[in-house]
Amino acid sequence: MPVRRILHVDMDAFFASVEQRDRPELRGQPVAVGGTHRGVVAAASYEARKFGVRSAIPMSRALTLCPQLRVVPPDFARYKAASEQVFAIFRQVTPLVEPLSLDEAYLDVTENAWNQPLGVEVARRIKQEIKSQTGLTASAGVAPNKFLAKIASGWRKPDGLTVIAPERVEHFLTQLPIDALWGVGPVTAKKLRAAGLERLQDVRTRSEEDLTQLVGSFGRLLLRLAYGEDDRPVEPHRERKSVGSETTYPSDLLDKVRIQDEVRSLTQECCDWLVRHGQFARTVTLKVRYDNFQTITRSESGESVTRDPVQLTQRAIALLDKTSAGQRPIRLLGVSLHGLTDDDQPAVQAHARSDKAATTGPLQLSLPFEPVAHPPPPAPRRRHPHQAE
Amino acid sequence: MEFRIEKAALLQALYYAQGIADRKSTMPILANVLLRSDGPDRITVAATDLNITVTTELPCEVSSEGGLTASAKHLHDIVKSLPSDKLSLRRADNNYAELVSGKANYKVVGLPDRDFPKLPPHKDVQFYRVDGAVLRDLIAKTFFSISADETRSHLNGVLLECDGDGEQAFARMVSTDGHRLSKCERPLPGAPKLMPGVVIPRRGLIELRRALEGSGGNVEIASHNQYFYLRTGATVLSVRLTEASFPPYEQVIPRDHQRRVVVKRSELFDALKRIVLVASEKTWGVRMNIASGQMRIESDNPDLGQGREELDVGYQGVDCNIGFNAKYMIELLSEIDTPEVQLELNGDLDPGVLRPLDDKQGVGNQYLGVIMPMRL
């Protein structure tokens, strides 16, 4: 495979930056986007980060760390609009854009619309375009593959641009601690450290079997990454594997009827997403966090796929019986749907699809707008960023 | 809170309210109508789904000030069937709304009015009196080409721009779904300047259209702080505008053309409506062959059969073959009311323009549709 030029572009403190852009009184202030009471921080401005305020920490903790924090309720419609503008810029450069979320994407710019041979120049121009069209800043990483590009973009933030040229990869790898890797969270990192693996390079000293015993199927990829190898392509149409919605409640829930209502509305949100995206789901998962933060999940898979809200809601509510709902106070409820597919009769449809591919039917052309705007898949409200399994 | 009011007036306001109130929302109060006193002799009746809000001010006798909310649908249905022409409504304990009319007495479950979402402020907004029929016409002529793809919020509405001053003012609406675009300009004396324009979402247009249909002639409009307002009598409809910006539409309207075909509107319309019966239900694609003096439209659907139509047209030049989605043409033609239309073409993969053949077309008064062809 010839050397690729992969970009990872990550908007800086995205939600918070959009708020600061639209509300001048917030500029230069520590800002956190999220629910005011018992919610978690969805995004923190760089001013807030100086105080230790980070995404995903409870808002109450954020306010203790930084009492003058300006807490802003999220307005996803505006973030989505900004995200659409950013993705339109990406798609102007290359169709090979893989969205990771509203504010983050991989781009394969080995070939690009600007005929620019240097990845760093493409990145610089994209950053400029984003700045001039949206007033927001992004950090970019340029590398020969996805995993290095992602690490590079996080190297200098905000408004950073880091390049890992192919000949510098080896040098770069020597600096990396084990948990710099995407996919290595606190739990995996702890396991690896316990086995004496501090730096990514240390992984090379172990065999694939050893690593698999340690961290499961991730071991194989881990070993490849330790050598800086990653040939995963940038996938513009990577299928989403799950959709979910969850909420932390202002006060703990104990009333069974109320809990059922909440599960119903969470399931409805997921079903709305299915309908909007022409998808069906096989598995329903219910997540419950009790008042002592103990979190459990209960799942159930159907024989066939569906997007019928009545059926899915019934199944989600039935899962409540496998929890202590009604007996123990509940702090958080979440519903997610897995096993997504875009056809409700997989076998038949697969056949029909191959037929369709064989004959090229008439094709409706699109108006020549510049750029062709195709926003990233939208997230349902109160979305929890599920990781694809 | 307590007031006494004419049944007919309240019923009309509740009718508007229950059309907007959102029964499917996860916020239960959105299914409710808000009734709030506005001094000793007026109340405001309001409902919202957070994007669209309707408020009506009604004269009445307020005996105690305050507010209440109750299910818009139920209150409407009960008031509608009450026996006498007058009724009193009051807020009872536990937020119940209590209705008394003649010997009928009803209590409807309610929620505190302080929990009702804040209403878009229109009291200090300057309204402009314009002809509602023109707005209705603009909506009808652009509504059908709004994108149905909800992931493209910037295309899920119509761009409204107003330009020119006083008597010379005109309004322009543009919509596109990425495959076709409709643009309509009409004189609208008295319109406020709206440059750059605003994007009114599809749902809002449906409600505006409904309100305009009931209004007859003159209405008042305003655009202020992310809202578009329409006042008809005592009722104000507020529509939250789409925040995303509309694409630069001028760049996809061809400036000139190599081929110009003039054809009778009704002949083309009828021929397309027939031939679409044998077109593919997935693509609605039909083939057009245009030669000097003649247009042939063909459809060939392996599942169903074939069809062919021939029309006399005004065209001189080289033959050309081009494919179009027949539905796109039909929807556009059904909004054109001139006896003849003009189809402007370049290459067989370039956008085509269909417009009424009309001497009066010009800036401030024109209608056109841009349609991308199909590759057959």
Side-chain angles (χ1 to χ4, degrees):
Chain A
M1 184 183 254
V3 174
R4 295 180 298 161
R5 280 174 282 279
I6 308 294
L7 262 55
H8 177 260
V9 185
D10 191 2
M11 300 299 294
D12 299 321
F14 184 52
F15 298 170
S17 301
V18 173
E19 294 297 344
Q20 288 182 321
R21 178 193 66 178
D22 297 350
R23 296 174 53 182
E25 77 274 15
L26 295 177
R27 287 179 202 159
Q29 303 276 334
V31 174
V33 175
T36 42
H37 189 55
R38 293 184 28 133
V40 296
V41 176
S45 72
Y46 283 89
E47 295 85 355
R49 291 182 194 194
K50 283 186 201 138
F51 294 89
V53 176
R54 300 257 179 282
S55 309
I57 68 168
M59 191 60 83
S60 51
R61 172 123 182 276
L63 283 163
T64 319
L65 290 166
C66 176
Q68 69 272 45
L69 188 67
R70 303 284 299 265
V71 179
V72 182
D75 178 356
F76 284 104
R78 268 190 300 129
Y79 310 148
K80 213 183 108 192
S83 167
E84 281 170 13
Q85 278 181 291
V86 171
F87 274 82
I89 294 167
F90 294 161
R91 293 195 168 93
Q92 228 179 320
V93 185
T94 171
L96 295 176
V97 177
E98 179 177 330
L100 295 177
S101 66
L102 281 180
D103 60 341
E104 207 186 329
Y106 288 117
L107 284 74
D108 185 335
V109 299
T110 313
E111 289 181 27
N112 59 71
W114 295 332
N115 287 323
Q116 174 54 255
L118 286 176
V120 57
E121 280 309 315
V122 178
R124 190 165 289 146
R125 240 178 107 176
I126 286 180
K127 273 164 54 74
Q128 269 167 12
E129 290 284 319
I130 293 176
K131 179 79 188 162
S132 73
Q133 289 189 31
T134 69
L136 301 169
T137 62
S139 294
V142 187
N145 62 44
K146 279 163 77 166
F147 123 78
L148 289 169
K150 170 115 182 167
I151 293 173
S153 75
W155 209 246
R156 269 196 295 275
K157 266 182 146 298
D159 205 12
L161 174 52
T162 304
V163 184
I164 306 176
E167 62 276 14
R168 301 275 301 162
V169 168
E170 188 59 33
H171 174 73
F172 191 82
L173 286 173
T174 59
Q175 308 178 35
L176 285 185
I178 196 79
D179 51 6
L181 272 182
W182 185 82
V184 178
V187 177
T188 311
K190 206 170 149 191
K191 281 186 203 158
L192 293 170
R193 290 222 166 89
L197 303 172
E198 279 291 333
R199 309 201 142 260
L200 185 56
Q201 279 196 322
D202 303 338
V203 171
R204 296 184 190 175
T205 60
R206 304 297 169 92
S207 69
E208 192 181 316
E209 289 73 36
D210 286 356
L211 290 169
T212 308
Q213 260 191 354
L214 215 53
V215 293
S217 58
F218 183 56
R220 189 185 153 84
L221 180 61
L222 187 62
L223 191 58
R224 303 264 316 278
L225 297 183
Y227 286 97
E229 290 170 13
D230 175 15
D231 56 5
R232 290 173 299 168
V234 171
E235 293 174 87
H237 302 292
R238 210 168 66 151
E239 281 182 26
R240 187 146 161 164
K241 302 218 172 119
S242 71
V243 54
S245 188
E246 64 177 52
T247 305
T248 301
Y249 296 95
S251 57
D252 292 337
L253 305 183
L254 199 53
D255 175 32
K256 195 99 189 248
V257 176
R258 167 85 200 281
I259 292 168
Q260 288 178 354
D261 279 348
E262 291 296 337
V263 169
R264 187 171 294 121
S265 91
L266 291 168
T267 315
Q268 185 62 50
E269 280 184 30
C270 298
C271 291
D272 290 349
W273 187 93
L274 291 181
V275 172
R276 272 208 310 281
H277 293 83
Q279 300 271 309
F280 299 86
R282 181 180 302 281
T283 306
V284 184
T285 300
L286 178 73
K287 174 171 167 185
V288 175
R289 178 169 297 156
Y290 299 114
D291 55 344
N292 65 351
F293 281 85
Q294 184 199 351
T295 309
I296 56 163
T297 57
R298 297 289 178 261
S299 274
E300 194 257 337
S301 289
E303 299 213 334
S304 60
V305 296
T306 178
R307 63 172 169 224
D308 175 19
V310 177
Q311 213 192 101
L312 289 167
T313 303
Q314 271 174 4
R315 283 163 57 184
I317 288 179
L319 287 170
L320 277 174
D321 294 338
K322 299 185 180 174
T323 72
S324 309
Q327 294 143 43
R328 290 176 62 181
I330 289 176
R331 184 184 165 84
L332 170 148
L333 281 171
V335 171
S336 54
L337 304 176
H338 307 252
L340 303 187
T341 158
D342 58 4
D343 45 45
D344 52 351
Q345 287 158 322
V348 181
Q349 194 78 23
H351 177 67
R353 197 184 293 148
S354 64
D355 277 358
K356 202 162 83 189
T359 60
T360 48
L363 176 73
Q364 173 66 54
L365 304 176
S366 293
L367 288 165
F369 281 114
E370 296 276 343
V372 183
H374 266 297
R381 282 185 304 125
R382 300 196 288 182
R383 176 194 65 135
H384 173 71
H386 275 296
Q387 204 168 306
E389 272 116 61
Chain B
M1 181 224 193
E2 183 163 1
F3 63 91
R4 191 164 167 74
I5 193 167
E6 297 281 342
K7 171 184 157 182
L10 181 63
L11 184 61
Q12 186 62 47
L14 289 174
Y15 175 73
Y16 293 142
Q18 59 105 34
I20 303 295
D22 187 354
R23 262 173 288 152
K24 281 178 280 187
S25 170
T26 48
M27 279 172 72
I29 203 160
L30 296 186
N32 286 9
V33 57
L34 170 74
L35 300 152
R36 190 178 276 161
S37 66
D38 211 8
D41 56 358
R42 324 189 57 76
I43 55 159
T44 298
V45 180
T48 183
D49 67 358
L50 297 182
N51 289 313
I52 301 170
T53 304
V54 64
T55 59
T56 307
E57 286 187 8
L58 296 175
C60 66
E61 303 151 33
V62 176
S63 48
S64 111
E65 297 223 11
L68 61 84
T69 83
S71 158
K73 183 179 185 314
H74 290 113
L75 210 55
H76 168 263
D77 292 354
I78 294 169
V79 168
K80 191 177 175 184
S81 46
L82 285 177
S84 59
D85 294 341
K86 282 224 160 196
L87 65 106
S88 336
L89 230 164
R90 72 178 198 96
R91 174 170 169 175
D93 289 347
N94 284 327
N95 300 309
Y96 273 94
E98 185 177 6
L99 276 147
V100 181
S101 172
K103 288 177 180 163
N105 183 311
Y106 285 85
K107 274 181 163 182
V108 185
V109 177
L111 288 167
D113 66 304
R114 62 168 188 275
D115 293 347
F116 201 82
K118 204 164 163 282
L119 301 173
H122 62 257
K123 292 253 153 74
D124 301 325
V125 174
Q126 190 189 348
F127 278 82
Y128 297 82
R129 183 167 288 276
V130 297
D131 182 359
V134 173
L135 289 175
R136 232 166 77 193
D137 185 43
L138 287 168
I139 294 174
K141 285 185 160 50
T142 49
F143 189 81
F144 55 87
S145 52
I146 295 174
S147 172
D149 180 353
E150 291 189 29
T151 62
R152 307 173 81 182
S153 61
H154 59 307
L155 301 184
N156 284 147
V158 153
L159 173 72
L160 169 66
E161 295 177 331
C162 297
D163 208 351
D165 293 308
E167 288 304 299
Q168 304 304 312
F170 67 94
R172 175 190 302 125
M173 281 196 186
V174 188
S175 71
T176 177
D177 63 5
H179 300 305
R180 55 175 164 165
L181 176 146
S182 314
K183 177 179 115 171
C184 188
E185 290 175 2
R186 291 284 181 259
L188 191 64
K193 195 111 171 163
L194 268 184
M195 292 298 280
V198 295
V199 181
I200 305 176
R202 179 198 196 84
R203 260 274 285 147
L205 287 163
I206 294 173
E207 296 303 333
L208 287 171
R209 192 170 61 181
R210 190 172 296 161
L212 287 165
E213 269 162 16
S215 74
N218 279 356
V219 297
E220 290 171 286
I221 58 171
S223 176
H224 184 72
N225 253 352
Q226 293 303 313
Y227 282 95
F228 182 80
Y229 297 99
L230 175 75
R231 180 152 70 199
T232 58
T235 301
V236 176
L237 188 67
S238 325
V239 175
R240 187 196 284 273
L241 298 168
T242 302
E243 295 203 18
S245 53
F246 200 79
Y249 63 90
E250 288 293 354
Q251 64 178 219
V252 299
I253 303 176
R255 287 174 211 287
D256 41 28
H257 52 270
Q258 299 160 2
R259 301 184 169 88
R260 174 173 177 269
V261 186
V262 173
V263 53
K264 286 211 169 61
R265 188 205 79 94
S266 60
E267 285 185 13
L268 180 59
F269 186 58
D270 293 344
L272 285 166
K273 282 210 337 197
R274 284 191 297 270
I275 203 141
V276 84
L277 299 173
V278 291
S280 151
E281 284 184 30
K282 282 204 192 78
T283 65
W284 307 109
V286 298
R287 186 192 319 270
M288 283 185 174
N289 172 273
I290 300 161
S292 285
Q294 200 181 58
M295 174 191 282
R296 200 166 65 219
I297 311 174
E298 288 175 320
S299 175
D300 190 346
N301 178 352
D303 298 332
L304 207 57
Q306 300 107 35
R308 187 172 77 225
E309 296 275 350
E310 283 179 8
L311 284 79
D312 294 331
V313 297
Y315 172 68
Q316 294 298 322
V318 238
D319 288 13
C320 92
N321 276 302
I322 190 163
F324 278 113
N325 178 328
K327 290 254 162 171
Y328 290 176
M329 290 220 159
I330 290 171
E331 286 177 335
L332 192 55
L333 285 166
S334 58
E335 289 300 331
I336 294 180
D337 44 18
T338 54
E340 288 181 309
V341 296
Q342 172 170 316
L343 179 63
E344 301 161 4
L345 301 172
N346 286 304
D348 62 350
L349 299 179
D350 297 326
V353 174
L354 187 66
R355 61 170 101 217
L357 193 65
D358 185 347
D359 304 340
K360 292 191 218 99
Q361 285 238 18
V363 172
N365 189 29
Q366 63 170 200
Y367 183 37
L368 61 84
V370 183
I371 303 181
M372 276 311 281
M374 297 180 85
R375 192 199 308 253
L376 293 175

